[in-house]
Amino acid sequence: VNYGLLVQIDLFFLIFFLVEIVLKSFASDMIYITQDKFSLFDAIIVLASFILNVIGEDIKGLGVLRLIRVVVIVVRKITGNK
């Protein structure tokens, strides 16, 4: 397994999600983060993951939180809940 490629893919998605959160926050005058607790949780997880990825740290529990983030997004899309 080429772990260098996996790290690059992980960093790409973290940057993509970080840009998404920043753009949504600015577009909604920060209502995106302040009104929805999941959005705040999402932003914290993405930001922490990005920072830890850049400095080269690996925290096992953070992967579980990132997985929960994806599951909640999928459930919200399926149920139509915002």
Side-chain angles (χ1 to χ4, degrees):
V1 176
N2 187 353
Y3 290 108
L5 179 62
L6 293 177
V7 169
Q8 289 177 345
I9 292 171
D10 187 42
L11 184 60
F12 170 79
F13 279 104
L14 281 173
I15 291 171
F16 180 81
F17 290 134
L18 189 60
V19 169
E20 175 195 19
I21 290 168
V22 169
L23 291 176
K24 283 183 177 180
S25 297
F26 282 122
S28 68
D29 291 330
M30 299 304 283
I31 291 173
Y32 171 74
I33 291 180
T34 59
Q35 295 295 320
D36 185 14
K37 291 180 183 175
F38 174 74
S39 296
L40 179 61
F41 167 77
D42 184 33
I44 291 169
I45 295 302
V46 170
L47 186 61
S49 296
F50 178 76
I51 291 170
L52 291 172
N53 193 316
V54 168
I55 65 173
E57 290 292 321
D58 184 26
I59 297 178
K60 302 282 186 225
L62 197 57
V64 173
L65 292 176
R66 288 170 66 187
L67 181 61
I68 291 170
R69 174 188 182 272
V70 172
V71 169
V72 170
I73 289 171
V74 169
V75 168
R76 282 182 162 192
K77 292 291 181 186
I78 291 171
T79 62
N81 290 342
K82 298 278 180 183

